[in-house]
């Protein structure tokens, strides 16, 4: 008898049930991509709500009588009176290596016509950022390949660096260069077989851009052999606001997967101004009270909870990192507007791009004086630090004096010298987009500048001189460049060799 009881008990224990509690409701109204559903008792904030035809919504307003859901995907078939049910799941997206090289929408569905995305795991799009304990301070460089950035505004893995500027000042280009340079470094690093090499995988989130622009970006990444290390998450201007709202969180979840698996990832949010505008639109439809510039009161939290998720984890937690490059578009250079000030205060520094500089042909149009990186210098490559530590000071001194010098008064020789060097530095820092430099070349160029090899070349000829310098070094001093490439502090011997090489180039150039 007892045995029979035991058998029954153990069988009952082993029974697995698929039973899930879900509640079913009815749509009472649909408008502007928002459905109000009655009868969804027990719906959670941010829960996925299933509608007819495989459409999902996100429960954002939990009212006493109804739940307001923002709808995602193709919502044309959603009508009043249809049913809707809770899923018990928070909104999640596919994650993993299988997403590399793919273009997906805000829910991780493929947009590139190359079949289903290969994944075995999903991550919730919203997640609490790592606290203080699992984190470590930034100590590894993220090389952008942009000389001005790597030298004066260095970025470290796990950092959040804002790219900010007016329309058409080259914001996207700076971010894409960073992605393209990671791909270049990945190729090199994997080829070298160095077991310590850490690739950086990129995620580019396009928010509210025209489809044609997104297509050009994808094409560029492909041409530069960078797409295979990149995930593109696209929510174009043609899509409804909820997709734009979700896209950065979805991209972030994909980036977190790399970080939590001990790898390094870089994520670009292009741009968060449009993200804020989408959120404002949703909030107005949901009839949430609005405040300054008609944004809802929690718009700060919108971006802080996103950017807090970028981190560098300590070795007990796998040592992975997620570096974030959010982009903000300003109007007439006004960085004191609501959204720009918010995001400036959330990030670890900003790269400020200016229309005037851009139009003067100073590209990348970085306003050096107001661009900073608050944590990256701890991670800067040592040899690069050696040759660039005085650069920012020299640049700002030059800017100050150059403003006076235009009045044409007599200048003393010291002032003339500072202005002369500044004029040349400005030229040296000019760099076309899509042409990232290796860090060893950056070091060599700045070493030559620091040791006055460019001082007696006419300003007009500097661009040509830099090009000749690069070609000469690549052709003749490949070995020396790879010695520099180790990045460790340069000793006297190496400096001596560099000096001799610079002198040899100079002779050939003259
Ligand atoms: P938007 O506000 O439209 O998003 P943006 O600030 O992202 O613009 P980009 O699209 O990156 O700017 O660049 C604008 C134009 O300037 C592009 O045609 C780009 O090729 C060019 N450009 C950007 N950076 C450079 C550079 N360093 N050298 C030469 N041209 C550049
Ligand atoms: Mg852009």
């Amino acid at each position: 008898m007892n045995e029979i009881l035991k058998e029954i008990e153990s069988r009952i224990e082993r029974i697995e049930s698929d039973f899930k509690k879900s509640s079913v409701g009815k749509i009472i109204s649909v408008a502007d991509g928002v459905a109000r559903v009655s009868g969804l008792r027990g719906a959670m904030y941010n829960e996925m709500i299933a509608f007819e035809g495989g459409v999902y919504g996100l429960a954002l307003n939990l009212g006493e009588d109804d739940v307001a859901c923002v709808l995602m995907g193709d919502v044309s078939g959603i009508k009043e009176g249809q049913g809707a049910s809770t899923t018990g799941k928070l909104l999640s997206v596919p994650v993993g290596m299988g997403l590399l090289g793919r273009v997906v929408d805000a829910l991780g569905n493929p947009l590139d016509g190359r079949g289903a995305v290969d994944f075995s795991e999903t991550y919730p799009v919203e997640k609490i950022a790592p606290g203080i304990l699992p984190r470590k301070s930034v100590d590894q460089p993220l090389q952008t390949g942009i000389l001005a950035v790597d030298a004066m505004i260095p970025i470290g893995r796990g950092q959040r660096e804002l790219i900010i500027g007016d329309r058409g000042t080259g914001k996207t280009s700076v971010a894409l260069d960073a992605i393209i340079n990671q791909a270049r470094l990945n190729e090199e690093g994997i080829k070298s077989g160095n077991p310590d090499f850490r690739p950086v995988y990129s995620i580019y989130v396009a928010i509210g851009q025209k489809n044609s622009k997104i297509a050009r970006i994808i094409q560029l990444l492909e041409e530069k052999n960078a797409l295979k290390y990149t995930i593109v998450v696209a929510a174009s201007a043609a899509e409804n606001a909820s997709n734009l709202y979700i896209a950065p969180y979805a991209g972030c979840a994909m980036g977190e997967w790399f970080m939590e698996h001990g790898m390094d990832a870089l994520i670009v949010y292009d741009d968060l101004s449009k993200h804020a505008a989408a959120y404002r639109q949703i909030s107005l439809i949901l009839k949430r009270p609005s405040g300054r510039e008609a944004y809802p009161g929690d718009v700060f939290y919108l971006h802080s909870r996103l950017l807090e998720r970028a981190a560098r984890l300590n070795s007990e937690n796998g040592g992975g990192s997620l570096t974030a490059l959010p982009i903000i578009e300003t109007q007439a250079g006004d960085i004191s507007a609501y959204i720009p000030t918010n995001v400036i205060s959330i990030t670890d520094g900003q790269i400020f791009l200016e229309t005037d500089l851009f139009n003067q042909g100073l590209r990348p149009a970085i306003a050096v004086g107001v661009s900073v990186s608050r944590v990256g210098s701890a991670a800067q490559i040592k040899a690069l630090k050696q040759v660039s530590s005085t650069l920012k000071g020299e640049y700002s001194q030059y800017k100050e004096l150059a403003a006076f010098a235009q009045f044409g008064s007599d200048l003393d020789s010291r002032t003339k010298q500072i202005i002369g060097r500044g004029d040349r530095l400005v030229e040296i820092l000019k760099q076309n987009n899509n042409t990232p430099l290796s860090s060893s070349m950056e070091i060599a160029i700045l070493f030559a500048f620091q040791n006055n090899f460019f001082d007696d070349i006419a300003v007009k000829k500097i661009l040509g001189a830099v090009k000749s310098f690069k070609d000469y070094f690549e052709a003749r001093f490949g070995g020396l460049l790879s010695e520099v490439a180790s990045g460790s502090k340069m000793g006297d011997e190496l400096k001596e060799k560099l000096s001799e090489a610079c002198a040899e180039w100079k002779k050939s150039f003259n």
Side-chain angles (χ1 to χ4, degrees):
M1 188 63 192
N2 242 342
E3 268 165 32
I4 295 173
L5 266 180
K6 260 190 199 148
E7 177 68 17
I8 291 173
E9 265 175 12
S10 84
R11 282 199 185 194
I12 289 174
E13 265 169 25
R14 269 183 281 143
I15 289 175
E16 281 178 23
S17 124
D18 276 348
F19 176 75
K20 269 197 222 101
K21 218 170 95 185
S22 88
S23 64
V24 179
K26 205 165 149 191
I27 302 179
I28 47 178
S29 73
V30 201
D32 302 315
V34 171
R36 291 188 181 277
V37 185
S38 67
L40 288 187
R41 291 181 58 205
M44 299 179 289
Y45 180 68
N46 260 345
E47 180 174 351
M48 275 168 100
I49 307 295
F51 291 86
E52 281 180 21
V55 172
Y56 285 98
L58 190 62
L60 278 190
N61 265 20
L62 307 177
E64 270 182 27
D65 308 319
D66 62 4
V67 173
C69 309
V70 292
L71 298 168
M72 283 165 297
D74 180 13
V75 302
S76 52
I78 303 298
K79 306 237 154 44
E80 202 180 307
Q82 290 175 343
S85 57
T86 56
T87 60
K89 280 188 281 195
L90 296 175
L91 184 62
S92 302
V93 288
V95 292
M97 291 306 238
L99 281 131
L100 291 171
R102 302 303 304 265
V103 182
V104 296
D105 69 9
L107 298 178
N109 302 310
L111 293 173
D112 49 10
R114 288 174 32 204
V117 172
D118 174 27
F119 69 97
S120 53
E121 221 180 323
T122 59
Y123 266 24
V125 297
E126 295 265 12
K127 204 168 181 185
I128 303 287
I132 296 171
L133 289 180
R135 290 188 192 234
K136 179 175 176 196
S137 56
V138 165
D139 64 355
Q140 279 188 338
L142 187 115
Q143 289 289 118
T144 63
I146 302 171
L147 183 59
V149 174
D150 292 341
M152 296 187 289
I153 320 155
I155 300 170
R157 295 188 188 185
Q159 184 174 343
R160 301 155 301 175
E161 183 78 10
L162 170 64
I163 302 170
I164 184 166
D166 281 2
R167 263 180 84 168
T169 48
K171 304 180 297 296
T172 301
S173 298
V174 169
L176 287 179
D177 276 4
I179 291 180
I180 291 167
N181 199 41
Q182 301 319 308
R184 190 184 63 80
L185 291 170
N186 290 351
E187 290 280 301
E188 268 180 28
I190 291 165
K191 215 188 286 165
S192 76
N194 175 0
D196 295 331
F197 176 74
R198 296 180 59 89
V200 177
Y201 300 103
S202 304
I203 299 120
Y204 176 81
V205 187
I207 310 159
Q209 297 182 42
K210 282 201 197 112
N211 273 321
S212 58
K213 235 182 194 174
I214 301 175
R216 267 208 303 278
I217 288 167
I218 294 166
Q219 196 189 346
L220 175 71
L221 292 175
E222 200 142 29
E223 272 166 25
K224 296 285 169 185
N225 205 17
L227 192 59
K228 66 178 189 194
Y229 299 109
T230 309
I231 305 169
V232 176
V233 180
S236 79
E239 289 175 48
N240 57 27
S242 46
N243 290 4
L244 273 62
Y245 163 65
I246 293 299
Y249 301 106
C252 188
M254 294 170 192
E256 267 166 347
W257 183 85
F258 291 102
M259 174 170 76
E260 288 176 8
H261 287 76
M263 293 179 266
D264 293 323
L266 162 69
I267 187 161
V268 173
Y269 303 111
D270 194 1
D271 64 56
L272 291 187
S273 313
K274 297 193 185 76
H275 183 236
Y279 187 60
R280 172 168 60 188
Q281 193 185 334
I282 291 171
S283 302
L284 291 175
I285 295 168
L286 292 176
K287 299 200 169 61
R288 291 184 178 172
S290 54
R292 191 175 154 190
E293 292 180 26
Y295 287 106
D298 62 345
V299 74
F300 182 85
Y301 181 54
L302 177 78
H303 291 150
S304 63
R305 73 177 192 265
L306 174 69
L307 294 169
E308 268 301 300
R309 286 159 73 181
R312 166 95 158 93
L313 299 181
N314 59 21
S315 51
E316 293 87 77
N317 289 281
S321 73
L322 180 63
T323 309
L325 298 178
I327 295 179
I328 287 280
E329 181 185 302
T330 50
Q331 311 293 330
D334 181 13
I335 53 173
S336 63
Y338 192 23
I339 302 299
T341 41
N342 277 354
V343 181
I344 286 172
S345 73
I346 299 164
T347 46
D348 306 304
Q350 71 273 349
I351 298 172
F352 186 34
L353 302 169
E354 261 181 15
T355 308
D356 282 353
L357 298 177
F358 190 87
N359 292 341
Q360 286 163 28
L362 257 98
R363 302 175 190 176
I366 300 173
V368 174
V370 284
S371 297
V372 290
S373 167
R374 293 189 198 96
V375 296
S377 67
Q380 194 175 26
I381 292 178
K382 297 244 170 11
L384 194 51
K385 198 188 222 121
Q386 266 176 300
V387 292
S388 60
S389 56
T390 59
L391 227 49
K392 235 186 152 181
E394 211 172 323
Y395 196 99
S396 55
Q397 206 181 6
Y398 154 73
K399 275 278 174 192
E400 220 167 89
L401 291 176
F404 273 112
Q406 44 178 331
F407 298 115
S409 50
D410 282 346
L411 302 172
D412 60 88
S413 64
R414 170 97 184 106
T415 309
K416 268 190 200 151
Q417 191 209 353
I418 292 171
I419 292 177
R421 268 180 73 77
D423 283 340
R424 286 165 182 82
L425 178 58
V426 166
E427 293 296 309
I428 290 170
L429 295 178
K430 283 183 184 169
Q431 187 178 346
N432 277 334
N433 46 342
N434 316 331
T435 55
L437 288 172
S438 67
S439 54
S440 52
M441 189 58 85
E442 292 179 338
I443 294 163
I445 293 171
L446 293 177
F447 179 89
F449 173 73
Q450 232 189 10
N451 292 280
N452 310 328
F453 284 97
F454 291 108
D455 288 5
D456 58 353
I457 298 172
V459 176
K460 275 196 301 234
K461 289 193 174 157
I462 292 289
L463 276 183
V466 172
K467 180 166 187 318
S468 134
F469 182 93
K470 286 193 283 196
D471 293 345
Y472 199 86
F473 266 64
E474 254 155 31
R476 303 213 173 195
F477 298 121
L480 184 56
L481 284 176
S482 23
E483 250 181 273
V484 175
S486 80
S488 42
K489 206 165 170 210
M490 295 187 287
D492 289 339
E493 200 186 324
L494 187 53
K495 284 192 201 159
E496 192 54 44
K497 279 197 220 167
L498 265 176
S499 248
E500 279 164 20
C502 290
E504 199 184 312
W505 158 73
K506 191 69 186 290
K507 231 193 247 157
S508 85
F509 182 70
N510 279 335

